mmCIF file of all heavy atoms in Angstrom:
data_model
loop_
_atom_site.group_PDB
_atom_site.id
_atom_site.type_symbol
_atom_site.label_atom_id
_atom_site.label_comp_id
_atom_site.label_asym_id
_atom_site.label_seq_id
_atom_site.Cartn_x
_atom_site.Cartn_y
_atom_site.Cartn_z
ATOM 1 N N TYR K 563 -20.404 15.675 -29.388
ATOM 2 C CA TYR K 563 -19.572 14.583 -28.909
ATOM 3 C C TYR K 563 -18.496 15.057 -27.900
ATOM 4 O O TYR K 563 -18.056 16.203 -28.013
ATOM 5 C CB TYR K 563 -19.013 13.843 -30.084
ATOM 6 C CG TYR K 563 -20.088 13.317 -31.007
ATOM 7 C CD1 TYR K 563 -20.171 13.742 -32.322
ATOM 8 C CD2 TYR K 563 -21.071 12.457 -30.507
ATOM 9 C CE1 TYR K 563 -21.269 13.323 -33.109
ATOM 10 C CE2 TYR K 563 -22.111 11.997 -31.318
ATOM 11 C CZ TYR K 563 -22.202 12.468 -32.568
ATOM 12 O OH TYR K 563 -23.224 12.047 -33.400
ATOM 13 N N ASN K 564 -18.089 14.123 -27.132
ATOM 14 C CA ASN K 564 -17.130 14.416 -26.074
ATOM 15 C C ASN K 564 -15.730 14.578 -26.715
ATOM 16 O O ASN K 564 -15.488 14.181 -27.878
ATOM 17 C CB ASN K 564 -17.086 13.197 -25.139
ATOM 18 C CG ASN K 564 -16.621 13.596 -23.713
ATOM 19 O OD1 ASN K 564 -15.992 14.578 -23.561
ATOM 20 N ND2 ASN K 564 -16.914 12.747 -22.779
ATOM 21 N N GLU K 565 -14.777 15.050 -25.930
ATOM 22 C CA GLU K 565 -13.438 15.228 -26.391
ATOM 23 C C GLU K 565 -12.756 13.817 -26.413
ATOM 24 O O GLU K 565 -13.298 12.861 -25.812
ATOM 25 C CB GLU K 565 -12.706 16.220 -25.508
ATOM 26 C CG GLU K 565 -12.669 15.761 -24.066
ATOM 27 C CD GLU K 565 -12.012 16.809 -23.154
ATOM 28 O OE1 GLU K 565 -12.068 17.979 -23.477
ATOM 29 O OE2 GLU K 565 -11.588 16.378 -22.014
ATOM 30 N N LEU K 566 -11.595 13.753 -27.000
ATOM 31 C CA LEU K 566 -10.794 12.498 -27.024
ATOM 32 C C LEU K 566 -10.269 12.195 -25.594
ATOM 33 O O LEU K 566 -9.964 13.138 -24.882
ATOM 34 C CB LEU K 566 -9.550 12.657 -27.924
ATOM 35 C CG LEU K 566 -9.892 12.780 -29.441
ATOM 36 C CD1 LEU K 566 -8.586 13.098 -30.196
ATOM 37 C CD2 LEU K 566 -10.522 11.542 -29.926
ATOM 38 N N PRO K 567 -10.189 10.998 -25.203
ATOM 39 C CA PRO K 567 -10.451 9.784 -26.045
ATOM 40 C C PRO K 567 -11.898 9.310 -25.894
ATOM 41 O O PRO K 567 -12.282 8.327 -26.507
ATOM 42 C CB PRO K 567 -9.524 8.728 -25.409
ATOM 43 C CG PRO K 567 -9.421 9.122 -23.928
ATOM 44 C CD PRO K 567 -9.520 10.635 -23.949
ATOM 45 N N TYR K 568 -12.679 10.045 -25.047
ATOM 46 C CA TYR K 568 -14.001 9.548 -24.650
ATOM 47 C C TYR K 568 -15.017 9.515 -25.858
ATOM 48 O O TYR K 568 -16.006 8.738 -25.792
ATOM 49 C CB TYR K 568 -14.563 10.378 -23.538
ATOM 50 C CG TYR K 568 -13.516 10.596 -22.434
ATOM 51 C CD1 TYR K 568 -12.954 11.840 -22.185
ATOM 52 C CD2 TYR K 568 -13.072 9.443 -21.727
ATOM 53 C CE1 TYR K 568 -11.971 11.953 -21.161
ATOM 54 C CE2 TYR K 568 -12.131 9.623 -20.717
ATOM 55 C CZ TYR K 568 -11.540 10.864 -20.526
ATOM 56 O OH TYR K 568 -10.589 10.989 -19.528
ATOM 57 N N LYS K 569 -14.673 10.297 -26.896
ATOM 58 C CA LYS K 569 -15.608 10.260 -28.112
ATOM 59 C C LYS K 569 -15.746 8.889 -28.602
ATOM 60 O O LYS K 569 -16.860 8.563 -29.229
ATOM 61 C CB LYS K 569 -14.962 11.194 -29.130
ATOM 62 C CG LYS K 569 -15.766 11.329 -30.446
ATOM 63 C CD LYS K 569 -15.156 12.393 -31.328
ATOM 64 C CE LYS K 569 -14.288 11.804 -32.398
ATOM 65 N NZ LYS K 569 -13.759 12.806 -33.312
ATOM 66 N N PHE K 570 -14.766 8.002 -28.363
ATOM 67 C CA PHE K 570 -14.799 6.602 -28.945
ATOM 68 C C PHE K 570 -15.074 5.579 -27.848
ATOM 69 O O PHE K 570 -14.888 4.437 -28.044
ATOM 70 C CB PHE K 570 -13.474 6.303 -29.659
ATOM 71 C CG PHE K 570 -13.339 7.205 -30.884
ATOM 72 C CD1 PHE K 570 -12.441 8.254 -30.871
ATOM 73 C CD2 PHE K 570 -14.085 6.949 -32.015
ATOM 74 C CE1 PHE K 570 -12.308 9.048 -32.013
ATOM 75 C CE2 PHE K 570 -13.905 7.720 -33.172
ATOM 76 C CZ PHE K 570 -13.005 8.760 -33.142
ATOM 77 N N GLU K 571 -15.460 6.032 -26.622
ATOM 78 C CA GLU K 571 -15.646 5.118 -25.582
ATOM 79 C C GLU K 571 -17.076 5.135 -24.990
ATOM 80 O O GLU K 571 -17.323 5.626 -23.871
ATOM 81 C CB GLU K 571 -14.616 5.319 -24.455
ATOM 82 C CG GLU K 571 -13.138 5.082 -24.977
ATOM 83 C CD GLU K 571 -12.104 5.290 -23.901
ATOM 84 O OE1 GLU K 571 -12.467 5.756 -22.776
ATOM 85 O OE2 GLU K 571 -10.947 4.981 -24.148
ATOM 86 N N ALA K 572 -18.002 4.692 -25.828
ATOM 87 C CA ALA K 572 -19.437 4.768 -25.422
ATOM 88 C C ALA K 572 -19.705 3.714 -24.335
ATOM 89 O O ALA K 572 -19.191 2.593 -24.346
ATOM 90 C CB ALA K 572 -20.328 4.506 -26.621
ATOM 91 N N GLY K 573 -20.474 4.035 -23.354
ATOM 92 C CA GLY K 573 -20.977 3.076 -22.436
ATOM 93 C C GLY K 573 -20.026 2.842 -21.267
ATOM 94 O O GLY K 573 -18.905 3.329 -21.287
ATOM 95 N N THR K 574 -20.414 2.036 -20.274
ATOM 96 C CA THR K 574 -19.551 1.785 -19.166
ATOM 97 C C THR K 574 -18.461 0.819 -19.647
ATOM 98 O O THR K 574 -18.732 -0.276 -20.206
ATOM 99 C CB THR K 574 -20.367 1.040 -18.080
ATOM 100 O OG1 THR K 574 -21.413 1.884 -17.624
ATOM 101 C CG2 THR K 574 -19.484 0.698 -16.833
ATOM 102 N N PRO K 575 -17.240 1.138 -19.438
ATOM 103 C CA PRO K 575 -16.105 0.320 -19.968
ATOM 104 C C PRO K 575 -15.824 -0.873 -19.069
ATOM 105 O O PRO K 575 -16.399 -0.999 -18.002
ATOM 106 C CB PRO K 575 -14.950 1.317 -20.043
ATOM 107 C CG PRO K 575 -15.237 2.221 -18.928
ATOM 108 C CD PRO K 575 -16.751 2.391 -18.832
ATOM 109 N N HIS K 576 -14.807 -1.641 -19.476
ATOM 110 C CA HIS K 576 -14.286 -2.769 -18.667
ATOM 111 C C HIS K 576 -13.328 -2.164 -17.681
ATOM 112 O O HIS K 576 -12.077 -2.160 -17.881
ATOM 113 C CB HIS K 576 -13.579 -3.734 -19.650
ATOM 114 C CG HIS K 576 -13.120 -4.974 -19.037
ATOM 115 N ND1 HIS K 576 -13.300 -5.322 -17.651
ATOM 116 C CD2 HIS K 576 -12.494 -6.057 -19.576
ATOM 117 C CE1 HIS K 576 -12.782 -6.428 -17.404
ATOM 118 N NE2 HIS K 576 -12.210 -6.936 -18.549
ATOM 119 N N ILE K 577 -13.794 -1.633 -16.606
ATOM 120 C CA ILE K 577 -13.001 -0.800 -15.749
ATOM 121 C C ILE K 577 -11.938 -1.626 -15.084
ATOM 122 O O ILE K 577 -10.683 -1.255 -15.097
ATOM 123 C CB ILE K 577 -13.938 -0.134 -14.567
ATOM 124 C CG1 ILE K 577 -15.062 0.688 -15.213
ATOM 125 C CG2 ILE K 577 -13.035 0.747 -13.716
ATOM 126 C CD1 ILE K 577 -16.068 1.147 -14.259
ATOM 127 N N SER K 578 -12.252 -2.761 -14.500
ATOM 128 C CA SER K 578 -11.268 -3.634 -13.813
ATOM 129 C C SER K 578 -10.235 -4.115 -14.831
ATOM 130 O O SER K 578 -9.055 -4.263 -14.513
ATOM 131 C CB SER K 578 -11.923 -4.765 -13.064
ATOM 132 O OG SER K 578 -12.497 -5.693 -14.016
ATOM 133 N N GLY K 579 -10.696 -4.323 -16.060
ATOM 134 C CA GLY K 579 -9.762 -4.834 -17.093
ATOM 135 C C GLY K 579 -8.727 -3.775 -17.450
ATOM 136 O O GLY K 579 -7.561 -4.086 -17.656
ATOM 137 N N GLY K 580 -9.230 -2.552 -17.661
ATOM 138 C CA GLY K 580 -8.292 -1.432 -17.911
ATOM 139 C C GLY K 580 -7.284 -1.245 -16.821
ATOM 140 O O GLY K 580 -6.027 -1.098 -17.106
ATOM 141 N N ILE K 581 -7.746 -1.364 -15.582
ATOM 142 C CA ILE K 581 -6.806 -1.185 -14.455
ATOM 143 C C ILE K 581 -5.792 -2.284 -14.379
ATOM 144 O O ILE K 581 -4.575 -2.122 -14.265
ATOM 145 C CB ILE K 581 -7.589 -1.071 -13.134
ATOM 146 C CG1 ILE K 581 -8.388 0.186 -13.078
ATOM 147 C CG2 ILE K 581 -6.782 -1.212 -11.899
ATOM 148 C CD1 ILE K 581 -9.464 0.316 -12.011
ATOM 149 N N ALA K 582 -6.284 -3.518 -14.659
ATOM 150 C CA ALA K 582 -5.386 -4.671 -14.655
ATOM 151 C C ALA K 582 -4.413 -4.687 -15.876
ATOM 152 O O ALA K 582 -3.298 -5.139 -15.778
ATOM 153 C CB ALA K 582 -6.226 -6.001 -14.611
ATOM 154 N N LEU K 583 -4.852 -4.131 -17.018
ATOM 155 C CA LEU K 583 -3.973 -4.008 -18.149
ATOM 156 C C LEU K 583 -2.847 -2.994 -17.765
ATOM 157 O O LEU K 583 -1.683 -3.231 -18.163
ATOM 158 C CB LEU K 583 -4.758 -3.563 -19.414
ATOM 159 C CG LEU K 583 -3.870 -3.230 -20.654
ATOM 160 C CD1 LEU K 583 -2.937 -4.449 -20.993
ATOM 161 C CD2 LEU K 583 -4.746 -2.871 -21.801
ATOM 162 N N GLY K 584 -3.172 -1.961 -17.132
ATOM 163 C CA GLY K 584 -2.133 -1.022 -16.671
ATOM 164 C C GLY K 584 -1.098 -1.783 -15.759
ATOM 165 O O GLY K 584 0.113 -1.572 -15.920
ATOM 166 N N ALA K 585 -1.649 -2.580 -14.867
ATOM 167 C CA ALA K 585 -0.760 -3.296 -13.997
ATOM 168 C C ALA K 585 0.094 -4.315 -14.739
ATOM 169 O O ALA K 585 1.314 -4.507 -14.396
ATOM 170 C CB ALA K 585 -1.600 -4.105 -12.927
ATOM 171 N N ALA K 586 -0.471 -4.859 -15.837
ATOM 172 C CA ALA K 586 0.354 -5.858 -16.605
ATOM 173 C C ALA K 586 1.480 -5.136 -17.323
ATOM 174 O O ALA K 586 2.612 -5.691 -17.349
ATOM 175 C CB ALA K 586 -0.567 -6.503 -17.651
ATOM 176 N N LEU K 587 1.203 -3.982 -17.878
ATOM 177 C CA LEU K 587 2.323 -3.297 -18.622
ATOM 178 C C LEU K 587 3.343 -2.729 -17.588
ATOM 179 O O LEU K 587 4.575 -2.732 -17.903
ATOM 180 C CB LEU K 587 1.787 -2.116 -19.430
ATOM 181 C CG LEU K 587 0.848 -2.625 -20.634
ATOM 182 C CD1 LEU K 587 0.381 -1.440 -21.457
ATOM 183 C CD2 LEU K 587 1.532 -3.704 -21.499
ATOM 184 N N GLN K 588 2.908 -2.369 -16.414
ATOM 185 C CA GLN K 588 3.797 -1.926 -15.389
ATOM 186 C C GLN K 588 4.713 -3.131 -14.976
ATOM 187 O O GLN K 588 5.894 -3.000 -14.829
ATOM 188 C CB GLN K 588 3.040 -1.520 -14.162
ATOM 189 C CG GLN K 588 3.714 -0.544 -13.266
ATOM 190 C CD GLN K 588 2.704 0.166 -12.371
ATOM 191 O OE1 GLN K 588 1.681 -0.341 -11.957
ATOM 192 N NE2 GLN K 588 2.967 1.454 -12.054
ATOM 193 N N TRP K 589 4.069 -4.339 -14.830
ATOM 194 C CA TRP K 589 4.834 -5.548 -14.559
ATOM 195 C C TRP K 589 5.877 -5.747 -15.627
ATOM 196 O O TRP K 589 7.046 -6.093 -15.298
ATOM 197 C CB TRP K 589 3.848 -6.682 -14.375
ATOM 198 C CG TRP K 589 4.542 -8.001 -14.111
ATOM 199 C CD1 TRP K 589 4.923 -8.456 -12.829
ATOM 200 C CD2 TRP K 589 4.948 -8.999 -15.051
ATOM 201 N NE1 TRP K 589 5.554 -9.691 -12.956
ATOM 202 C CE2 TRP K 589 5.540 -10.009 -14.317
ATOM 203 C CE3 TRP K 589 4.837 -9.101 -16.421
ATOM 204 C CZ2 TRP K 589 6.071 -11.125 -14.930
ATOM 205 C CZ3 TRP K 589 5.366 -10.220 -17.024
ATOM 206 C CH2 TRP K 589 5.987 -11.260 -16.257
ATOM 207 N N MET K 590 5.502 -5.715 -16.877
ATOM 208 C CA MET K 590 6.448 -5.914 -17.965
ATOM 209 C C MET K 590 7.649 -4.961 -17.863
ATOM 210 O O MET K 590 8.811 -5.247 -18.110
ATOM 211 C CB MET K 590 5.783 -5.764 -19.338
ATOM 212 C CG MET K 590 4.972 -6.970 -19.781
ATOM 213 S SD MET K 590 4.305 -6.781 -21.408
ATOM 214 C CE MET K 590 5.767 -6.911 -22.419
#
Side-chain angles (χ1 to χ4, degrees):
Y563 303 118
N564 206 341
E565 59 188 23
L566 292 173
Y568 311 112
K569 179 172 101 176
F570 294 104
E571 295 183 353
T574 301
H576 185 2
I577 305 170
S578 68
I581 291 167
L583 175 54
L587 295 184
Q588 206 161 34
W589 179 84
M590 281 184 72

